[in-house]
PDB file of all heavy atoms in Angstrom:
ATOM      1  N   ARG A  30      92.302 104.956 145.424  1.00  0.00           N
ATOM      2  CA  ARG A  30      93.100 106.146 145.722  1.00  0.00           C
ATOM      3  C   ARG A  30      93.033 107.182 144.603  1.00  0.00           C
ATOM      4  O   ARG A  30      93.628 108.258 144.708  1.00  0.00           O
ATOM      5  CB  ARG A  30      94.567 105.734 145.931  1.00  0.00           C
ATOM      6  CG  ARG A  30      94.773 104.789 147.106  1.00  0.00           C
ATOM      7  CD  ARG A  30      94.838 105.524 148.398  1.00  0.00           C
ATOM      8  NE  ARG A  30      95.999 106.396 148.482  1.00  0.00           N
ATOM      9  CZ  ARG A  30      96.200 107.290 149.428  1.00  0.00           C
ATOM     10  NH1 ARG A  30      95.296 107.469 150.363  1.00  0.00           N
ATOM     11  NH2 ARG A  30      97.292 108.026 149.431  1.00  0.00           N
ATOM     12  N   GLY A  31      92.334 106.869 143.506  1.00  0.00           N
ATOM     13  CA  GLY A  31      92.177 107.832 142.413  1.00  0.00           C
ATOM     14  C   GLY A  31      93.392 107.938 141.517  1.00  0.00           C
ATOM     15  O   GLY A  31      93.559 108.944 140.821  1.00  0.00           O
ATOM     16  N   HIS A  32      94.272 106.930 141.496  1.00  0.00           N
ATOM     17  CA  HIS A  32      95.478 106.973 140.677  1.00  0.00           C
ATOM     18  C   HIS A  32      95.201 106.419 139.274  1.00  0.00           C
ATOM     19  O   HIS A  32      94.222 105.692 139.049  1.00  0.00           O
ATOM     20  CB  HIS A  32      96.605 106.148 141.310  1.00  0.00           C
ATOM     21  CG  HIS A  32      96.959 106.583 142.696  1.00  0.00           C
ATOM     22  ND1 HIS A  32      97.062 107.912 143.061  1.00  0.00           N
ATOM     23  CD2 HIS A  32      97.252 105.861 143.822  1.00  0.00           C
ATOM     24  CE1 HIS A  32      97.404 107.990 144.336  1.00  0.00           C
ATOM     25  NE2 HIS A  32      97.512 106.757 144.830  1.00  0.00           N
ATOM     26  N   THR A  33      96.109 106.759 138.354  1.00  0.00           N
ATOM     27  CA  THR A  33      96.116 106.133 137.028  1.00  0.00           C
ATOM     28  C   THR A  33      97.289 105.168 136.976  1.00  0.00           C
ATOM     29  O   THR A  33      98.362 105.435 137.527  1.00  0.00           O
ATOM     30  CB  THR A  33      96.253 107.182 135.923  1.00  0.00           C
ATOM     31  OG1 THR A  33      97.481 107.900 136.096  1.00  0.00           O
ATOM     32  CG2 THR A  33      95.077 108.159 135.953  1.00  0.00           C
ATOM     33  N   LEU A  34      97.093 104.044 136.301  1.00  0.00           N
ATOM     34  CA  LEU A  34      98.132 103.022 136.201  1.00  0.00           C
ATOM     35  C   LEU A  34      98.419 102.737 134.735  1.00  0.00           C
ATOM     36  O   LEU A  34      97.513 102.396 133.972  1.00  0.00           O
ATOM     37  CB  LEU A  34      97.693 101.737 136.914  1.00  0.00           C
ATOM     38  CG  LEU A  34      98.647 100.544 136.787  1.00  0.00           C
ATOM     39  CD1 LEU A  34     100.001 100.878 137.392  1.00  0.00           C
ATOM     40  CD2 LEU A  34      98.050  99.305 137.441  1.00  0.00           C
ATOM     41  N   ASP A  35      99.683 102.876 134.351  1.00  0.00           N
ATOM     42  CA  ASP A  35     100.121 102.602 132.978  1.00  0.00           C
ATOM     43  C   ASP A  35     101.056 101.392 133.021  1.00  0.00           C
ATOM     44  O   ASP A  35     102.092 101.420 133.704  1.00  0.00           O
ATOM     45  CB  ASP A  35     100.839 103.825 132.405  1.00  0.00           C
ATOM     46  CG  ASP A  35     101.313 103.579 130.981  1.00  0.00           C
ATOM     47  OD1 ASP A  35     100.733 102.721 130.297  1.00  0.00           O
ATOM     48  OD2 ASP A  35     102.293 104.238 130.555  1.00  0.00           O
ATOM     49  N   VAL A  36     100.687 100.325 132.306  1.00  0.00           N
ATOM     50  CA  VAL A  36     101.471  99.091 132.298  1.00  0.00           C
ATOM     51  C   VAL A  36     102.055  98.890 130.903  1.00  0.00           C
ATOM     52  O   VAL A  36     101.309  98.872 129.910  1.00  0.00           O
ATOM     53  CB  VAL A  36     100.620  97.875 132.711  1.00  0.00           C
ATOM     54  CG1 VAL A  36     101.462  96.602 132.693  1.00  0.00           C
ATOM     55  CG2 VAL A  36     100.013  98.096 134.089  1.00  0.00           C
ATOM     56  N   GLN A  37     103.358  98.747 130.808  1.00  0.00           N
ATOM     57  CA  GLN A  37     104.055  98.528 129.534  1.00  0.00           C
ATOM     58  C   GLN A  37     104.816  97.209 129.629  1.00  0.00           C
ATOM     59  O   GLN A  37     105.714  97.057 130.457  1.00  0.00           O
ATOM     60  CB  GLN A  37     105.017  99.685 129.241  1.00  0.00           C
ATOM     61  CG  GLN A  37     104.327 101.051 129.124  1.00  0.00           C
ATOM     62  CD  GLN A  37     105.298 102.180 128.865  1.00  0.00           C
ATOM     63  OE1 GLN A  37     106.475 101.945 128.585  1.00  0.00           O
ATOM     64  NE2 GLN A  37     104.802 103.414 128.955  1.00  0.00           N
ATOM     65  N   LEU A  38     104.444  96.242 128.769  1.00  0.00           N
ATOM     66  CA  LEU A  38     105.026  94.914 128.785  1.00  0.00           C
ATOM     67  C   LEU A  38     105.719  94.614 127.464  1.00  0.00           C
ATOM     68  O   LEU A  38     105.344  95.172 126.414  1.00  0.00           O
ATOM     69  CB  LEU A  38     103.946  93.860 129.053  1.00  0.00           C
ATOM     70  CG  LEU A  38     103.149  94.017 130.354  1.00  0.00           C
ATOM     71  CD1 LEU A  38     102.078  92.950 130.447  1.00  0.00           C
ATOM     72  CD2 LEU A  38     104.071  93.941 131.562  1.00  0.00           C
ATOM     73  N   PRO A  39     106.714  93.735 127.455  1.00  0.00           N
ATOM     74  CA  PRO A  39     107.350  93.339 126.192  1.00  0.00           C
ATOM     75  C   PRO A  39     106.343  92.685 125.252  1.00  0.00           C
ATOM     76  O   PRO A  39     105.396  92.017 125.697  1.00  0.00           O
ATOM     77  CB  PRO A  39     108.429  92.354 126.652  1.00  0.00           C
ATOM     78  CG  PRO A  39     108.650  92.645 128.093  1.00  0.00           C
ATOM     79  CD  PRO A  39     107.339  93.116 128.628  1.00  0.00           C
ATOM     80  N   SER A  40     106.557  92.872 123.968  1.00  0.00           N
ATOM     81  CA  SER A  40     105.631  92.293 122.985  1.00  0.00           C
ATOM     82  C   SER A  40     105.753  90.782 122.924  1.00  0.00           C
ATOM     83  O   SER A  40     104.764  90.071 122.706  1.00  0.00           O
ATOM     84  CB  SER A  40     105.898  92.900 121.599  1.00  0.00           C
ATOM     85  OG  SER A  40     107.264  92.686 121.231  1.00  0.00           O
ATOM     86  N   GLY A  41     106.956  90.245 123.089  1.00  0.00           N
ATOM     87  CA  GLY A  41     107.155  88.806 123.046  1.00  0.00           C
ATOM     88  C   GLY A  41     107.167  88.204 124.436  1.00  0.00           C
ATOM     89  O   GLY A  41     107.403  88.898 125.431  1.00  0.00           O
ATOM     90  N   PRO A  42     106.939  86.881 124.540  1.00  0.00           N
ATOM     91  CA  PRO A  42     106.930  86.234 125.859  1.00  0.00           C
ATOM     92  C   PRO A  42     108.308  86.270 126.508  1.00  0.00           C
ATOM     93  O   PRO A  42     109.331  86.073 125.853  1.00  0.00           O
ATOM     94  CB  PRO A  42     106.476  84.797 125.555  1.00  0.00           C
ATOM     95  CG  PRO A  42     106.832  84.586 124.125  1.00  0.00           C
ATOM     96  CD  PRO A  42     106.673  85.916 123.443  1.00  0.00           C
ATOM     97  N   VAL A  43     108.317  86.533 127.831  1.00  0.00           N
ATOM     98  CA  VAL A  43     109.550  86.532 128.613  1.00  0.00           C
ATOM     99  C   VAL A  43     109.397  85.450 129.678  1.00  0.00           C
ATOM    100  O   VAL A  43     108.545  85.552 130.562  1.00  0.00           O
ATOM    101  CB  VAL A  43     109.792  87.908 129.277  1.00  0.00           C
ATOM    102  CG1 VAL A  43     111.044  87.859 130.142  1.00  0.00           C
ATOM    103  CG2 VAL A  43     109.896  88.999 128.225  1.00  0.00           C
ATOM    104  N   TRP A  44     110.224  84.406 129.571  1.00  0.00           N
ATOM    105  CA  TRP A  44     110.081  83.245 130.456  1.00  0.00           C
ATOM    106  C   TRP A  44     111.072  83.323 131.613  1.00  0.00           C
ATOM    107  O   TRP A  44     112.232  83.672 131.446  1.00  0.00           O
ATOM    108  CB  TRP A  44     110.298  81.955 129.677  1.00  0.00           C
ATOM    109  CG  TRP A  44     109.185  81.683 128.719  1.00  0.00           C
ATOM    110  CD1 TRP A  44     109.121  81.998 127.401  1.00  0.00           C
ATOM    111  CD2 TRP A  44     107.953  81.053 129.035  1.00  0.00           C
ATOM    112  NE1 TRP A  44     107.921  81.616 126.859  1.00  0.00           N
ATOM    113  CE2 TRP A  44     107.175  81.020 127.845  1.00  0.00           C
ATOM    114  CE3 TRP A  44     107.412  80.498 130.201  1.00  0.00           C
ATOM    115  CZ2 TRP A  44     105.921  80.464 127.785  1.00  0.00           C
ATOM    116  CZ3 TRP A  44     106.145  79.937 130.142  1.00  0.00           C
ATOM    117  CH2 TRP A  44     105.410  79.929 128.955  1.00  0.00           C
ATOM    118  N   LEU A  45     110.562  82.974 132.798  1.00  0.00           N
ATOM    119  CA  LEU A  45     111.367  82.941 134.017  1.00  0.00           C
ATOM    120  C   LEU A  45     111.225  81.574 134.674  1.00  0.00           C
ATOM    121  O   LEU A  45     110.218  80.878 134.474  1.00  0.00           O
ATOM    122  CB  LEU A  45     110.919  84.018 135.015  1.00  0.00           C
ATOM    123  CG  LEU A  45     110.824  85.461 134.527  1.00  0.00           C
ATOM    124  CD1 LEU A  45     110.217  86.324 135.616  1.00  0.00           C
ATOM    125  CD2 LEU A  45     112.190  85.990 134.125  1.00  0.00           C
ATOM    126  N   GLU A  46     112.227  81.207 135.451  1.00  0.00           N
ATOM    127  CA  GLU A  46     112.123  80.030 136.317  1.00  0.00           C
ATOM    128  C   GLU A  46     111.812  80.564 137.707  1.00  0.00           C
ATOM    129  O   GLU A  46     112.719  80.966 138.461  1.00  0.00           O
ATOM    130  CB  GLU A  46     113.439  79.236 136.307  1.00  0.00           C
ATOM    131  CG  GLU A  46     113.324  77.853 136.941  1.00  0.00           C
ATOM    132  CD  GLU A  46     112.606  76.854 136.029  1.00  0.00           C
ATOM    133  OE1 GLU A  46     112.464  77.157 134.829  1.00  0.00           O
ATOM    134  OE2 GLU A  46     112.180  75.801 136.523  1.00  0.00           O
ATOM    135  N   ALA A  47     110.527  80.616 138.059  1.00  0.00           N
ATOM    136  CA  ALA A  47     110.148  81.355 139.269  1.00  0.00           C
ATOM    137  C   ALA A  47     108.892  80.774 139.880  1.00  0.00           C
ATOM    138  O   ALA A  47     108.190  79.955 139.273  1.00  0.00           O
ATOM    139  CB  ALA A  47     109.930  82.833 138.937  1.00  0.00           C
ATOM    140  N   ASP A  48     108.615  81.222 141.123  1.00  0.00           N
ATOM    141  CA  ASP A  48     107.381  80.916 141.833  1.00  0.00           C
ATOM    142  C   ASP A  48     106.371  82.002 141.457  1.00  0.00           C
ATOM    143  O   ASP A  48     106.484  83.146 141.895  1.00  0.00           O
ATOM    144  CB  ASP A  48     107.634  80.906 143.340  1.00  0.00           C
ATOM    145  CG  ASP A  48     106.418  80.464 144.145  1.00  0.00           C
ATOM    146  OD1 ASP A  48     105.280  80.749 143.726  1.00  0.00           O
ATOM    147  OD2 ASP A  48     106.606  79.837 145.192  1.00  0.00           O
ATOM    148  N   ALA A  49     105.373  81.657 140.630  1.00  0.00           N
ATOM    149  CA  ALA A  49     104.451  82.668 140.104  1.00  0.00           C
ATOM    150  C   ALA A  49     103.698  83.376 141.219  1.00  0.00           C
ATOM    151  O   ALA A  49     103.497  84.595 141.172  1.00  0.00           O
ATOM    152  CB  ALA A  49     103.470  82.018 139.129  1.00  0.00           C
ATOM    153  N   THR A  50     103.263  82.637 142.248  1.00  0.00           N
ATOM    154  CA  THR A  50     102.487  83.252 143.332  1.00  0.00           C
ATOM    155  C   THR A  50     103.326  84.255 144.117  1.00  0.00           C
ATOM    156  O   THR A  50     102.903  85.389 144.369  1.00  0.00           O
ATOM    157  CB  THR A  50     101.954  82.167 144.274  1.00  0.00           C
ATOM    158  OG1 THR A  50     101.127  81.266 143.526  1.00  0.00           O
ATOM    159  CG2 THR A  50     101.140  82.789 145.402  1.00  0.00           C
ATOM    160  N   ARG A  51     104.546  83.858 144.500  1.00  0.00           N
ATOM    161  CA  ARG A  51     105.394  84.751 145.285  1.00  0.00           C
ATOM    162  C   ARG A  51     105.860  85.946 144.451  1.00  0.00           C
ATOM    163  O   ARG A  51     105.945  87.065 144.956  1.00  0.00           O
ATOM    164  CB  ARG A  51     106.615  83.971 145.805  1.00  0.00           C
ATOM    165  CG  ARG A  51     106.292  83.033 146.968  1.00  0.00           C
ATOM    166  CD  ARG A  51     105.766  83.799 148.146  1.00  0.00           C
ATOM    167  NE  ARG A  51     105.721  82.987 149.356  1.00  0.00           N
ATOM    168  CZ  ARG A  51     105.340  83.428 150.538  1.00  0.00           C
ATOM    169  NH1 ARG A  51     104.949  84.686 150.668  1.00  0.00           N
ATOM    170  NH2 ARG A  51     105.326  82.649 151.593  1.00  0.00           N
ATOM    171  N   LEU A  52     106.145  85.732 143.169  1.00  0.00           N
ATOM    172  CA  LEU A  52     106.584  86.837 142.324  1.00  0.00           C
ATOM    173  C   LEU A  52     105.447  87.830 142.105  1.00  0.00           C
ATOM    174  O   LEU A  52     105.647  89.042 142.074  1.00  0.00           O
ATOM    175  CB  LEU A  52     107.099  86.299 140.987  1.00  0.00           C
ATOM    176  CG  LEU A  52     108.199  87.125 140.304  1.00  0.00           C
ATOM    177  CD1 LEU A  52     109.355  87.370 141.245  1.00  0.00           C
ATOM    178  CD2 LEU A  52     108.664  86.414 139.040  1.00  0.00           C
ATOM    179  N   SER A  53     104.225  87.303 141.958  1.00  0.00           N
ATOM    180  CA  SER A  53     103.064  88.195 141.855  1.00  0.00           C
ATOM    181  C   SER A  53     102.892  88.991 143.144  1.00  0.00           C
ATOM    182  O   SER A  53     102.514  90.176 143.114  1.00  0.00           O
ATOM    183  CB  SER A  53     101.805  87.373 141.569  1.00  0.00           C
ATOM    184  OG  SER A  53     100.666  88.195 141.548  1.00  0.00           O
ATOM    185  N   GLN A  54     103.200  88.362 144.299  1.00  0.00           N
ATOM    186  CA  GLN A  54     103.134  89.077 145.582  1.00  0.00           C
ATOM    187  C   GLN A  54     104.132  90.228 145.623  1.00  0.00           C
ATOM    188  O   GLN A  54     103.842  91.307 146.142  1.00  0.00           O
ATOM    189  CB  GLN A  54     103.411  88.089 146.718  1.00  0.00           C
ATOM    190  CG  GLN A  54     103.305  88.685 148.104  1.00  0.00           C
ATOM    191  CD  GLN A  54     103.587  87.654 149.191  1.00  0.00           C
ATOM    192  OE1 GLN A  54     103.883  86.503 148.910  1.00  0.00           O
ATOM    193  NE2 GLN A  54     103.499  88.078 150.438  1.00  0.00           N
ATOM    194  N   VAL A  55     105.326  90.017 145.040  1.00  0.00           N
ATOM    195  CA  VAL A  55     106.347  91.075 145.012  1.00  0.00           C
ATOM    196  C   VAL A  55     105.833  92.291 144.250  1.00  0.00           C
ATOM    197  O   VAL A  55     105.866  93.429 144.742  1.00  0.00           O
ATOM    198  CB  VAL A  55     107.648  90.546 144.361  1.00  0.00           C
ATOM    199  CG1 VAL A  55     108.609  91.711 144.092  1.00  0.00           C
ATOM    200  CG2 VAL A  55     108.305  89.516 145.254  1.00  0.00           C
ATOM    201  N   PHE A  56     105.345  92.061 143.023  1.00  0.00           N
ATOM    202  CA  PHE A  56     104.926  93.193 142.196  1.00  0.00           C
ATOM    203  C   PHE A  56     103.668  93.860 142.751  1.00  0.00           C
ATOM    204  O   PHE A  56     103.520  95.085 142.664  1.00  0.00           O
ATOM    205  CB  PHE A  56     104.700  92.713 140.756  1.00  0.00           C
ATOM    206  CG  PHE A  56     105.957  92.194 140.098  1.00  0.00           C
ATOM    207  CD1 PHE A  56     105.938  91.046 139.314  1.00  0.00           C
ATOM    208  CD2 PHE A  56     107.166  92.842 140.283  1.00  0.00           C
ATOM    209  CE1 PHE A  56     107.094  90.562 138.727  1.00  0.00           C
ATOM    210  CE2 PHE A  56     108.333  92.368 139.698  1.00  0.00           C
ATOM    211  CZ  PHE A  56     108.301  91.228 138.923  1.00  0.00           C
ATOM    212  N   SER A  57     102.740  93.080 143.316  1.00  0.00           N
ATOM    213  CA  SER A  57     101.544  93.704 143.914  1.00  0.00           C
ATOM    214  C   SER A  57     101.937  94.536 145.141  1.00  0.00           C
ATOM    215  O   SER A  57     101.357  95.599 145.390  1.00  0.00           O
ATOM    216  CB  SER A  57     100.515  92.635 144.288  1.00  0.00           C
ATOM    217  OG  SER A  57     101.007  91.771 145.286  1.00  0.00           O
ATOM    218  N   ASN A  58     102.933  94.070 145.924  1.00  0.00           N
ATOM    219  CA  ASN A  58     103.416  94.864 147.068  1.00  0.00           C
ATOM    220  C   ASN A  58     104.009  96.189 146.595  1.00  0.00           C
ATOM    221  O   ASN A  58     103.778  97.248 147.197  1.00  0.00           O
ATOM    222  CB  ASN A  58     104.469  94.086 147.847  1.00  0.00           C
ATOM    223  CG  ASN A  58     103.858  93.102 148.825  1.00  0.00           C
ATOM    224  OD1 ASN A  58     102.641  93.069 148.997  1.00  0.00           O
ATOM    225  ND2 ASN A  58     104.675  92.292 149.457  1.00  0.00           N
ATOM    226  N   LEU A  59     104.801  96.140 145.492  1.00  0.00           N
ATOM    227  CA  LEU A  59     105.395  97.369 144.974  1.00  0.00           C
ATOM    228  C   LEU A  59     104.315  98.328 144.478  1.00  0.00           C
ATOM    229  O   LEU A  59     104.402  99.541 144.692  1.00  0.00           O
ATOM    230  CB  LEU A  59     106.376  97.034 143.852  1.00  0.00           C
ATOM    231  CG  LEU A  59     107.636  96.250 144.260  1.00  0.00           C
ATOM    232  CD1 LEU A  59     108.490  95.943 143.045  1.00  0.00           C
ATOM    233  CD2 LEU A  59     108.447  97.006 145.300  1.00  0.00           C
ATOM    234  N   LEU A  60     103.291  97.796 143.801  1.00  0.00           N
ATOM    235  CA  LEU A  60     102.204  98.656 143.309  1.00  0.00           C
ATOM    236  C   LEU A  60     101.408  99.241 144.471  1.00  0.00           C
ATOM    237  O   LEU A  60     101.048 100.432 144.464  1.00  0.00           O
ATOM    238  CB  LEU A  60     101.291  97.857 142.376  1.00  0.00           C
ATOM    239  CG  LEU A  60     101.886  97.483 141.011  1.00  0.00           C
ATOM    240  CD1 LEU A  60     100.969  96.525 140.277  1.00  0.00           C
ATOM    241  CD2 LEU A  60     102.116  98.736 140.164  1.00  0.00           C
ATOM    242  N   ASN A  61     101.094  98.420 145.466  1.00  0.00           N
ATOM    243  CA  ASN A  61     100.362  98.923 146.633  1.00  0.00           C
ATOM    244  C   ASN A  61     101.179  99.980 147.374  1.00  0.00           C
ATOM    245  O   ASN A  61     100.634 100.964 147.875  1.00  0.00           O
ATOM    246  CB  ASN A  61     100.026  97.768 147.578  1.00  0.00           C
ATOM    247  CG  ASN A  61      98.851  96.951 147.101  1.00  0.00           C
ATOM    248  OD1 ASN A  61      97.967  97.465 146.430  1.00  0.00           O
ATOM    249  ND2 ASN A  61      98.849  95.677 147.423  1.00  0.00           N
TER     250      ASN A  61
END
């Protein structure tokens, strides 16, 4: 689509108790 994407992440590790596959689906849906 010709967009630019800027990703800003915390410098230190941030741990979650989560389903990695489903959570990745959430963020990819938001980006799409």
Side-chain angles (χ1 to χ4, degrees):
R30 298 278 295 170
H32 303 318
T33 60
L34 175 61
D35 180 24
V36 180
Q37 300 179 10
L38 302 177
S40 57
V43 177
W44 290 95
L45 307 174
E46 192 75 15
D48 185 327
T50 301
R51 285 299 192 178
L52 210 53
S53 176
Q54 183 180 1
V55 169
F56 297 138
S57 64
N58 278 354
L59 294 178
L60 289 171
N61 282 331

